[in-house]
């Protein structure tokens, strides 16, 4: 197994971002990608099996059910790149269907080294599938993958699990456009996105009874303690999931339970928090099925097909680069 990684950069980038995000006035906000250190990635895997969090199971169900049809609509030969592979479990169906037609290269692009390792373990044993992991940000990794293929090789990009929901709508569309510029005409993007559904279901999915999502969120404070020597008292913050009806998004916040000042030596700052003030740690935008098609068209793609899960509204949309 081969992994292309960029080792030392992350901690200092994290420190710099924490400093910028926590010292500015107004709503504090940390990018959600920092939730996924080794502990966070393990907690996210646990979230995926919670009864309240139907998203991952819906994604996997659709891929298992329609892998044959998805693969039948792709050009050949083709290589597969996945943006944010996570553990890679859901990807098995696509790779197995593809490998019945051709030897397949699979490039998981993932900033979490532990998730990348899990993915290599999960998918490394499939016949006729070769894995080359890229421990890089999505677009950098995708550019590297796109560059190494030969002229006749097409690319299927997987962007599953509603990771697109972490971008706001404009940025999500911009991201699709960026992906499209890296691709050749006829290359494909399979986009998995969570759909709007009753608010009570969404709130429960992001604030489960066992408290795994709360731990996932609070781990960001623990991570700052571990990596930046910060002095966060985890008992002085609580997890909150909110739904913004107008924006159609779930927000995760860490609410300060009292007025407090926290030293973060590794980031060179001492942010103050008023009682009730929050750090906004994640947005999860929810979509209408047609809206995904419109975004994709504006991003340079032609919609080829869309599948929606019946049990938990979630869409798999197959897009072709024009
Ligand atoms: C992996 C970004 C799709 O937004 O639903 C799960 C992350 N956050 N529970 C999501 C998450 C809280 C998840 N994504």
């Amino acid at each position: 197994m081969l992994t292309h990684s960029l080792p030392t950069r992350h901690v200092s980038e994290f420190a710099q971002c924490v400093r910028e995000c926590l010292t500015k006035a107004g709503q504090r906000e940390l990018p959600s990608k920092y939730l996924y250190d080794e502990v966070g990635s393990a907690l996210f895997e646990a979230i995926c099996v919670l009864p309240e969090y139907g998203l991952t199971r819906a994604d996997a169900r659709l891929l298992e059910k329609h892998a044959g049809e998805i693969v039948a609509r792709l050009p050949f030969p083709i290589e597969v790149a996945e943006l944010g592979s996570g553990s890679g479990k859901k990807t098995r169906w696509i790779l197995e269907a593809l490998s019945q037609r051709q030897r397949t290269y699979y490039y998981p692009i993932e900033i979490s080294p532990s998730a990348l390792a899990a993915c290599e373990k999960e998918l490394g044993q499939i016949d006729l599938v070769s894995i080359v992991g890229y421990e890089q940000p999505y677009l950098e990794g995708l550019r590297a993958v796109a560059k190494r293929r030969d002229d006749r090789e097409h690319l299927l990009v997987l962007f599953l699990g509603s990771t697109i929901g972490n971008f706001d709508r404009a940025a999500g569309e911009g991201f699709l456009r960026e992906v499209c510029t890296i691709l050749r005409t006829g290359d494909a993007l399979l986009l998995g996105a969570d759909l709007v559904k009753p608010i009570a279901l969404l709130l429960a999915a992001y604030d489960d009874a066992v408290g795994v999502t709360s731990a996932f969120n609070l781990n960001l404070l623990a991570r700052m303690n571990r990596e930046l020597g910060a002095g966060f008292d985890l008992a002085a913050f609580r997890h909150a999931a909110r739904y913004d009806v107008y924006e159609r998004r779930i927000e995760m916040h860490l609410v300060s339970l009292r007025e407090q000042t926290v030293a973060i030596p590794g980031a060179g700052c001492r942010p103050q928090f008023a009682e009730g003030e929050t750090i906004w740690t994640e947005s999860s935008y929810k979509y209408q099925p047609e809206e995904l098609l419109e975004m994709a068209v504006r991003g340079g793609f032609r919609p080829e097909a869309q599948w929606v899960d019946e049990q938990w509204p979630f869409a798999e949309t197959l897009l072709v680069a024009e």
Side-chain angles (χ1 to χ4, degrees):
M1 206 335 282
L2 208 80
T3 302
H4 300 276
S5 57
L6 303 167
T8 52
R9 198 171 67 177
H10 305 303
V11 169
S12 56
E13 186 200 284
F14 181 45
Q16 202 183 324
C17 185
V18 165
R19 183 191 167 87
E20 275 165 28
C21 298
L22 296 189
T23 54
K24 72 159 208 231
Q27 174 70 58
R28 271 74 175 267
E29 196 177 340
L30 283 168
S32 58
K33 65 177 179 181
Y34 293 121
L35 293 165
Y36 300 90
D37 67 345
E38 189 172 3
V39 176
S41 295
L43 288 168
F44 178 66
E45 287 304 309
I47 288 174
C48 292
V49 295
L50 291 171
E52 294 96 331
Y53 193 77
L55 193 154
T56 309
R57 283 182 297 277
D59 198 7
R61 256 193 315 272
L62 288 168
L63 294 173
E64 178 173 11
K65 190 163 170 205
H66 302 293
E69 192 186 344
I70 292 168
V71 163
R73 291 172 179 269
L74 300 173
F76 283 85
I78 196 162
E79 300 188 319
V80 182
E82 179 162 15
L83 308 177
S85 63
S87 72
K89 281 199 189 86
K90 300 168 289 194
T91 309
R92 169 175 295 276
W93 312 110
I94 299 287
L95 293 179
E96 283 182 351
L98 269 173
S99 68
Q100 289 181 8
R101 298 177 66 160
Q102 55 157 74
R103 162 164 288 286
T104 304
Y105 270 89
Y106 169 56
Y107 307 100
I109 301 165
E110 173 61 67
I111 48 164
S112 160
S114 57
L116 196 56
C119 169
E120 279 150 3
K121 202 165 152 195
E122 174 77 27
L123 300 171
Q125 306 303 324
I126 305 176
D127 268 358
L128 294 178
V129 173
S130 309
I131 306 190
V132 181
Y134 280 72
E135 193 187 317
Q136 288 187 6
Y138 296 152
L139 294 174
E140 260 170 67
L142 188 59
R143 275 185 208 103
V145 167
K147 231 189 282 170
R148 62 173 269 169
R149 63 194 166 135
D150 63 43
D151 293 343
R152 34 168 230 126
E153 206 98 48
H154 277 289
L155 199 55
L156 166 65
V157 179
L158 303 176
F159 196 29
L160 306 175
S162 205
T163 306
I164 190 166
N166 285 161
F167 295 111
D168 67 36
R169 282 171 218 281
E173 192 173 311
F175 185 79
L176 294 183
R177 191 171 302 117
E178 291 279 345
V179 168
C180 194
T181 61
I182 299 172
L183 299 181
R184 295 181 185 144
T185 306
D187 287 349
L189 170 65
L190 185 63
L191 178 68
D194 202 22
L195 303 178
V196 286
K197 53 181 64 61
I199 296 173
L201 286 180
L202 286 172
L203 288 174
Y206 290 86
D207 195 4
D208 61 280
V210 175
V212 184
T213 308
S214 167
F216 174 66
N217 198 5
L218 286 163
N219 175 56
L220 189 53
L221 302 178
R223 180 180 183 177
M224 290 189 269
N225 290 351
R226 290 189 293 267
E227 293 183 21
L228 306 174
F232 283 102
D233 172 6
L234 269 59
F237 286 85
R238 79 173 166 83
H239 163 71
R242 299 175 182 169
Y243 187 70
D244 184 319
V245 182
Y246 178 73
E247 296 282 354
R248 278 179 285 127
R249 70 174 178 225
I250 282 278
E251 299 173 3
M252 288 207 312
H253 291 262
L254 291 161
V255 185
S256 175
L257 295 176
R258 49 176 159 84
E259 191 184 316
Q260 53 187 318
T261 303
V262 182
I264 315 179
C269 62
R270 283 183 106 250
Q272 264 193 9
F273 300 94
E275 183 181 340
E277 194 177 350
T278 76
I279 307 174
W280 185 0
T281 53
E282 182 180 61
S283 295
S284 251
Y285 284 79
K286 304 302 167 186
Y287 297 91
Q288 307 281 5
E290 323 76 55
E291 176 186 11
L292 291 163
L293 305 179
E294 291 158 10
M295 279 172 71
V297 166
R298 289 190 298 262
F301 290 94
R302 172 174 61 76
E304 164 77 23
Q306 189 175 61
W307 299 269
V308 174
D309 191 67
E310 313 274 284
Q311 262 169 272
W312 178 276
F314 186 98
E316 226 65 80
T317 308
L318 183 61
L319 304 164
V320 179
E322 299 222 277

PDB file of all heavy atoms in Angstrom, residues 56-82:
ATOM      1  N   THR A  56     -26.072   7.488   7.037  1.00  0.00           N
ATOM      2  CA  THR A  56     -25.055   6.576   6.489  1.00  0.00           C
ATOM      3  C   THR A  56     -25.684   5.279   5.978  1.00  0.00           C
ATOM      4  O   THR A  56     -25.280   4.758   4.936  1.00  0.00           O
ATOM      5  CB  THR A  56     -24.001   6.251   7.566  1.00  0.00           C
ATOM      6  OG1 THR A  56     -23.540   7.479   8.116  1.00  0.00           O
ATOM      7  CG2 THR A  56     -22.830   5.496   6.976  1.00  0.00           C
ATOM      8  N   ARG A  57     -26.691   4.783   6.719  1.00  0.00           N
ATOM      9  CA  ARG A  57     -27.346   3.549   6.268  1.00  0.00           C
ATOM     10  C   ARG A  57     -28.093   3.781   4.956  1.00  0.00           C
ATOM     11  O   ARG A  57     -28.100   2.920   4.074  1.00  0.00           O
ATOM     12  CB  ARG A  57     -28.300   3.015   7.344  1.00  0.00           C
ATOM     13  CG  ARG A  57     -27.570   2.305   8.492  1.00  0.00           C
ATOM     14  CD  ARG A  57     -28.546   1.747   9.508  1.00  0.00           C
ATOM     15  NE  ARG A  57     -29.344   2.770  10.165  1.00  0.00           N
ATOM     16  CZ  ARG A  57     -28.943   3.488  11.221  1.00  0.00           C
ATOM     17  NH1 ARG A  57     -27.751   3.286  11.726  1.00  0.00           N
ATOM     18  NH2 ARG A  57     -29.722   4.412  11.739  1.00  0.00           N
ATOM     19  N   ALA A  58     -28.719   4.952   4.816  1.00  0.00           N
ATOM     20  CA  ALA A  58     -29.425   5.260   3.570  1.00  0.00           C
ATOM     21  C   ALA A  58     -28.436   5.319   2.402  1.00  0.00           C
ATOM     22  O   ALA A  58     -28.684   4.750   1.328  1.00  0.00           O
ATOM     23  CB  ALA A  58     -30.169   6.589   3.713  1.00  0.00           C
ATOM     24  N   ASP A  59     -27.324   5.974   2.619  1.00  0.00           N
ATOM     25  CA  ASP A  59     -26.264   6.083   1.608  1.00  0.00           C
ATOM     26  C   ASP A  59     -25.812   4.685   1.183  1.00  0.00           C
ATOM     27  O   ASP A  59     -25.765   4.355  -0.015  1.00  0.00           O
ATOM     28  CB  ASP A  59     -25.103   6.871   2.240  1.00  0.00           C
ATOM     29  CG  ASP A  59     -24.114   7.440   1.233  1.00  0.00           C
ATOM     30  OD1 ASP A  59     -24.377   7.347   0.019  1.00  0.00           O
ATOM     31  OD2 ASP A  59     -23.084   7.978   1.675  1.00  0.00           O
ATOM     32  N   ALA A  60     -25.517   3.855   2.182  1.00  0.00           N
ATOM     33  CA  ALA A  60     -25.022   2.497   1.904  1.00  0.00           C
ATOM     34  C   ALA A  60     -26.087   1.648   1.188  1.00  0.00           C
ATOM     35  O   ALA A  60     -25.775   0.915   0.252  1.00  0.00           O
ATOM     36  CB  ALA A  60     -24.595   1.826   3.207  1.00  0.00           C
ATOM     37  N   ARG A  61     -27.345   1.785   1.629  1.00  0.00           N
ATOM     38  CA  ARG A  61     -28.439   1.030   0.992  1.00  0.00           C
ATOM     39  C   ARG A  61     -28.543   1.364  -0.487  1.00  0.00           C
ATOM     40  O   ARG A  61     -28.672   0.485  -1.330  1.00  0.00           O
ATOM     41  CB  ARG A  61     -29.772   1.403   1.656  1.00  0.00           C
ATOM     42  CG  ARG A  61     -30.324   0.364   2.605  1.00  0.00           C
ATOM     43  CD  ARG A  61     -31.767   0.614   2.986  1.00  0.00           C
ATOM     44  NE  ARG A  61     -32.125   1.971   3.345  1.00  0.00           N
ATOM     45  CZ  ARG A  61     -32.038   2.497   4.585  1.00  0.00           C
ATOM     46  NH1 ARG A  61     -31.605   1.763   5.598  1.00  0.00           N
ATOM     47  NH2 ARG A  61     -32.398   3.742   4.809  1.00  0.00           N
ATOM     48  N   LEU A  62     -28.491   2.645  -0.797  1.00  0.00           N
ATOM     49  CA  LEU A  62     -28.608   3.077  -2.192  1.00  0.00           C
ATOM     50  C   LEU A  62     -27.450   2.536  -3.020  1.00  0.00           C
ATOM     51  O   LEU A  62     -27.633   2.078  -4.150  1.00  0.00           O
ATOM     52  CB  LEU A  62     -28.647   4.605  -2.275  1.00  0.00           C
ATOM     53  CG  LEU A  62     -29.934   5.267  -1.789  1.00  0.00           C
ATOM     54  CD1 LEU A  62     -29.734   6.772  -1.657  1.00  0.00           C
ATOM     55  CD2 LEU A  62     -31.085   4.974  -2.755  1.00  0.00           C
ATOM     56  N   LEU A  63     -26.248   2.600  -2.456  1.00  0.00           N
ATOM     57  CA  LEU A  63     -25.074   2.141  -3.212  1.00  0.00           C
ATOM     58  C   LEU A  63     -25.132   0.637  -3.431  1.00  0.00           C
ATOM     59  O   LEU A  63     -24.822   0.142  -4.514  1.00  0.00           O
ATOM     60  CB  LEU A  63     -23.784   2.540  -2.489  1.00  0.00           C
ATOM     61  CG  LEU A  63     -23.530   4.045  -2.418  1.00  0.00           C
ATOM     62  CD1 LEU A  63     -22.327   4.347  -1.540  1.00  0.00           C
ATOM     63  CD2 LEU A  63     -23.337   4.635  -3.816  1.00  0.00           C
ATOM     64  N   GLU A  64     -25.548  -0.094  -2.399  1.00  0.00           N
ATOM     65  CA  GLU A  64     -25.633  -1.548  -2.545  1.00  0.00           C
ATOM     66  C   GLU A  64     -26.679  -1.910  -3.597  1.00  0.00           C
ATOM     67  O   GLU A  64     -26.449  -2.721  -4.476  1.00  0.00           O
ATOM     68  CB  GLU A  64     -25.985  -2.197  -1.192  1.00  0.00           C
ATOM     69  CG  GLU A  64     -26.124  -3.703  -1.315  1.00  0.00           C
ATOM     70  CD  GLU A  64     -26.313  -4.413   0.032  1.00  0.00           C
ATOM     71  OE1 GLU A  64     -26.554  -3.740   1.055  1.00  0.00           O
ATOM     72  OE2 GLU A  64     -26.205  -5.645   0.035  1.00  0.00           O
ATOM     73  N   LYS A  65     -27.824  -1.232  -3.507  1.00  0.00           N
ATOM     74  CA  LYS A  65     -28.939  -1.567  -4.387  1.00  0.00           C
ATOM     75  C   LYS A  65     -28.667  -1.195  -5.852  1.00  0.00           C
ATOM     76  O   LYS A  65     -29.087  -1.898  -6.763  1.00  0.00           O
ATOM     77  CB  LYS A  65     -30.183  -0.820  -3.880  1.00  0.00           C
ATOM     78  CG  LYS A  65     -31.483  -1.236  -4.518  1.00  0.00           C
ATOM     79  CD  LYS A  65     -32.672  -0.763  -3.688  1.00  0.00           C
ATOM     80  CE  LYS A  65     -33.971  -0.968  -4.440  1.00  0.00           C
ATOM     81  NZ  LYS A  65     -35.015  -0.029  -3.983  1.00  0.00           N
ATOM     82  N   HIS A  66     -27.981  -0.067  -6.073  1.00  0.00           N
ATOM     83  CA  HIS A  66     -27.878   0.446  -7.441  1.00  0.00           C
ATOM     84  C   HIS A  66     -26.472   0.397  -8.031  1.00  0.00           C
ATOM     85  O   HIS A  66     -26.243   0.955  -9.102  1.00  0.00           O
ATOM     86  CB  HIS A  66     -28.410   1.883  -7.485  1.00  0.00           C
ATOM     87  CG  HIS A  66     -29.837   1.990  -7.025  1.00  0.00           C
ATOM     88  ND1 HIS A  66     -30.886   1.448  -7.725  1.00  0.00           N
ATOM     89  CD2 HIS A  66     -30.375   2.538  -5.907  1.00  0.00           C
ATOM     90  CE1 HIS A  66     -32.021   1.682  -7.064  1.00  0.00           C
ATOM     91  NE2 HIS A  66     -31.733   2.340  -5.953  1.00  0.00           N
ATOM     92  N   ALA A  67     -25.533  -0.254  -7.332  1.00  0.00           N
ATOM     93  CA  ALA A  67     -24.140  -0.276  -7.826  1.00  0.00           C
ATOM     94  C   ALA A  67     -24.057  -0.769  -9.272  1.00  0.00           C
ATOM     95  O   ALA A  67     -23.345  -0.172 -10.092  1.00  0.00           O
ATOM     96  CB  ALA A  67     -23.272  -1.137  -6.916  1.00  0.00           C
ATOM     97  N   GLY A  68     -24.804  -1.823  -9.583  1.00  0.00           N
ATOM     98  CA  GLY A  68     -24.757  -2.380 -10.936  1.00  0.00           C
ATOM     99  C   GLY A  68     -25.192  -1.353 -11.972  1.00  0.00           C
ATOM    100  O   GLY A  68     -24.528  -1.158 -12.994  1.00  0.00           O
ATOM    101  N   GLU A  69     -26.293  -0.670 -11.675  1.00  0.00           N
ATOM    102  CA  GLU A  69     -26.814   0.325 -12.622  1.00  0.00           C
ATOM    103  C   GLU A  69     -25.895   1.542 -12.730  1.00  0.00           C
ATOM    104  O   GLU A  69     -25.689   2.095 -13.813  1.00  0.00           O
ATOM    105  CB  GLU A  69     -28.216   0.761 -12.170  1.00  0.00           C
ATOM    106  CG  GLU A  69     -28.930   1.561 -13.233  1.00  0.00           C
ATOM    107  CD  GLU A  69     -30.258   2.128 -12.755  1.00  0.00           C
ATOM    108  OE1 GLU A  69     -30.782   1.671 -11.718  1.00  0.00           O
ATOM    109  OE2 GLU A  69     -30.750   3.060 -13.423  1.00  0.00           O
ATOM    110  N   ILE A  70     -25.329   1.939 -11.599  1.00  0.00           N
ATOM    111  CA  ILE A  70     -24.397   3.075 -11.610  1.00  0.00           C
ATOM    112  C   ILE A  70     -23.207   2.742 -12.501  1.00  0.00           C
ATOM    113  O   ILE A  70     -22.849   3.508 -13.410  1.00  0.00           O
ATOM    114  CB  ILE A  70     -23.927   3.407 -10.171  1.00  0.00           C
ATOM    115  CG1 ILE A  70     -25.100   3.959  -9.351  1.00  0.00           C
ATOM    116  CG2 ILE A  70     -22.757   4.395 -10.187  1.00  0.00           C
ATOM    117  CD1 ILE A  70     -24.845   4.043  -7.847  1.00  0.00           C
ATOM    118  N   VAL A  71     -22.617   1.589 -12.273  1.00  0.00           N
ATOM    119  CA  VAL A  71     -21.434   1.179 -13.028  1.00  0.00           C
ATOM    120  C   VAL A  71     -21.759   1.024 -14.517  1.00  0.00           C
ATOM    121  O   VAL A  71     -20.956   1.384 -15.381  1.00  0.00           O
ATOM    122  CB  VAL A  71     -20.840  -0.118 -12.409  1.00  0.00           C
ATOM    123  CG1 VAL A  71     -19.898  -0.811 -13.363  1.00  0.00           C
ATOM    124  CG2 VAL A  71     -20.142   0.213 -11.094  1.00  0.00           C
ATOM    125  N   ALA A  72     -22.963   0.527 -14.815  1.00  0.00           N
ATOM    126  CA  ALA A  72     -23.360   0.343 -16.219  1.00  0.00           C
ATOM    127  C   ALA A  72     -23.438   1.675 -16.963  1.00  0.00           C
ATOM    128  O   ALA A  72     -23.347   1.716 -18.189  1.00  0.00           O
ATOM    129  CB  ALA A  72     -24.701  -0.378 -16.289  1.00  0.00           C
ATOM    130  N   ARG A  73     -23.610   2.765 -16.226  1.00  0.00           N
ATOM    131  CA  ARG A  73     -23.714   4.083 -16.879  1.00  0.00           C
ATOM    132  C   ARG A  73     -22.373   4.788 -17.034  1.00  0.00           C
ATOM    133  O   ARG A  73     -22.314   5.920 -17.516  1.00  0.00           O
ATOM    134  CB  ARG A  73     -24.657   4.982 -16.066  1.00  0.00           C
ATOM    135  CG  ARG A  73     -26.117   4.532 -16.135  1.00  0.00           C
ATOM    136  CD  ARG A  73     -26.943   5.336 -15.155  1.00  0.00           C
ATOM    137  NE  ARG A  73     -28.357   4.978 -15.178  1.00  0.00           N
ATOM    138  CZ  ARG A  73     -29.280   5.567 -15.951  1.00  0.00           C
ATOM    139  NH1 ARG A  73     -28.926   6.555 -16.753  1.00  0.00           N
ATOM    140  NH2 ARG A  73     -30.541   5.185 -15.904  1.00  0.00           N
ATOM    141  N   LEU A  74     -21.289   4.157 -16.603  1.00  0.00           N
ATOM    142  CA  LEU A  74     -19.981   4.803 -16.637  1.00  0.00           C
ATOM    143  C   LEU A  74     -19.200   4.452 -17.901  1.00  0.00           C
ATOM    144  O   LEU A  74     -19.368   3.364 -18.447  1.00  0.00           O
ATOM    145  CB  LEU A  74     -19.150   4.370 -15.415  1.00  0.00           C
ATOM    146  CG  LEU A  74     -19.725   4.706 -14.047  1.00  0.00           C
ATOM    147  CD1 LEU A  74     -18.864   4.066 -12.954  1.00  0.00           C
ATOM    148  CD2 LEU A  74     -19.807   6.213 -13.858  1.00  0.00           C
ATOM    149  N   PRO A  75     -18.328   5.375 -18.351  1.00  0.00           N
ATOM    150  CA  PRO A  75     -17.444   5.050 -19.476  1.00  0.00           C
ATOM    151  C   PRO A  75     -16.306   4.134 -19.004  1.00  0.00           C
ATOM    152  O   PRO A  75     -16.037   4.063 -17.815  1.00  0.00           O
ATOM    153  CB  PRO A  75     -16.895   6.424 -19.888  1.00  0.00           C
ATOM    154  CG  PRO A  75     -16.929   7.236 -18.638  1.00  0.00           C
ATOM    155  CD  PRO A  75     -18.115   6.750 -17.853  1.00  0.00           C
ATOM    156  N   PHE A  76     -15.666   3.441 -19.946  1.00  0.00           N
ATOM    157  CA  PHE A  76     -14.557   2.556 -19.600  1.00  0.00           C
ATOM    158  C   PHE A  76     -13.357   2.838 -20.484  1.00  0.00           C
ATOM    159  O   PHE A  76     -13.549   3.238 -21.610  1.00  0.00           O
ATOM    160  CB  PHE A  76     -14.986   1.089 -19.761  1.00  0.00           C
ATOM    161  CG  PHE A  76     -15.843   0.643 -18.621  1.00  0.00           C
ATOM    162  CD1 PHE A  76     -17.206   0.875 -18.632  1.00  0.00           C
ATOM    163  CD2 PHE A  76     -15.269   0.007 -17.536  1.00  0.00           C
ATOM    164  CE1 PHE A  76     -17.997   0.479 -17.560  1.00  0.00           C
ATOM    165  CE2 PHE A  76     -16.061  -0.389 -16.472  1.00  0.00           C
ATOM    166  CZ  PHE A  76     -17.424  -0.157 -16.485  1.00  0.00           C
ATOM    167  N   PRO A  77     -12.147   2.615 -20.027  1.00  0.00           N
ATOM    168  CA  PRO A  77     -11.775   2.265 -18.651  1.00  0.00           C
ATOM    169  C   PRO A  77     -11.900   3.459 -17.717  1.00  0.00           C
ATOM    170  O   PRO A  77     -11.894   4.604 -18.171  1.00  0.00           O
ATOM    171  CB  PRO A  77     -10.312   1.836 -18.786  1.00  0.00           C
ATOM    172  CG  PRO A  77      -9.806   2.604 -19.961  1.00  0.00           C
ATOM    173  CD  PRO A  77     -10.973   2.774 -20.896  1.00  0.00           C
ATOM    174  N   ILE A  78     -11.995   3.176 -16.438  1.00  0.00           N
ATOM    175  CA  ILE A  78     -12.225   4.259 -15.480  1.00  0.00           C
ATOM    176  C   ILE A  78     -11.493   3.979 -14.168  1.00  0.00           C
ATOM    177  O   ILE A  78     -11.330   2.824 -13.772  1.00  0.00           O
ATOM    178  CB  ILE A  78     -13.761   4.430 -15.258  1.00  0.00           C
ATOM    179  CG1 ILE A  78     -14.083   5.771 -14.593  1.00  0.00           C
ATOM    180  CG2 ILE A  78     -14.343   3.268 -14.473  1.00  0.00           C
ATOM    181  CD1 ILE A  78     -15.550   6.192 -14.755  1.00  0.00           C
ATOM    182  N   GLU A  79     -11.003   5.040 -13.547  1.00  0.00           N
ATOM    183  CA  GLU A  79     -10.400   4.949 -12.222  1.00  0.00           C
ATOM    184  C   GLU A  79     -11.333   5.643 -11.234  1.00  0.00           C
ATOM    185  O   GLU A  79     -12.174   6.450 -11.630  1.00  0.00           O
ATOM    186  CB  GLU A  79      -9.033   5.630 -12.203  1.00  0.00           C
ATOM    187  CG  GLU A  79      -8.044   5.022 -13.186  1.00  0.00           C
ATOM    188  CD  GLU A  79      -6.644   5.586 -13.023  1.00  0.00           C
ATOM    189  OE1 GLU A  79      -6.492   6.807 -12.818  1.00  0.00           O
ATOM    190  OE2 GLU A  79      -5.690   4.789 -13.117  1.00  0.00           O
ATOM    191  N   VAL A  80     -11.165   5.347  -9.941  1.00  0.00           N
ATOM    192  CA  VAL A  80     -12.075   5.898  -8.930  1.00  0.00           C
ATOM    193  C   VAL A  80     -11.301   6.726  -7.908  1.00  0.00           C
ATOM    194  O   VAL A  80     -10.303   6.257  -7.355  1.00  0.00           O
ATOM    195  CB  VAL A  80     -12.813   4.764  -8.178  1.00  0.00           C
ATOM    196  CG1 VAL A  80     -13.790   5.345  -7.152  1.00  0.00           C
ATOM    197  CG2 VAL A  80     -13.545   3.853  -9.163  1.00  0.00           C
ATOM    198  N   ALA A  81     -11.756   7.965  -7.684  1.00  0.00           N
ATOM    199  CA  ALA A  81     -11.195   8.783  -6.608  1.00  0.00           C
ATOM    200  C   ALA A  81     -12.320   9.072  -5.629  1.00  0.00           C
ATOM    201  O   ALA A  81     -13.448   9.336  -6.039  1.00  0.00           O
ATOM    202  CB  ALA A  81     -10.640  10.093  -7.169  1.00  0.00           C
ATOM    203  N   GLU A  82     -12.042   9.010  -4.353  1.00  0.00           N
ATOM    204  CA  GLU A  82     -13.087   9.328  -3.376  1.00  0.00           C
ATOM    205  C   GLU A  82     -12.640  10.483  -2.493  1.00  0.00           C
ATOM    206  O   GLU A  82     -11.556  10.466  -1.908  1.00  0.00           O
ATOM    207  CB  GLU A  82     -13.423   8.095  -2.511  1.00  0.00           C
ATOM    208  CG  GLU A  82     -14.492   8.431  -1.478  1.00  0.00           C
ATOM    209  CD  GLU A  82     -15.195   7.220  -0.888  1.00  0.00           C
ATOM    210  OE1 GLU A  82     -14.699   6.097  -1.045  1.00  0.00           O
ATOM    211  OE2 GLU A  82     -16.262   7.430  -0.271  1.00  0.00           O
TER     212      GLU A  82
END
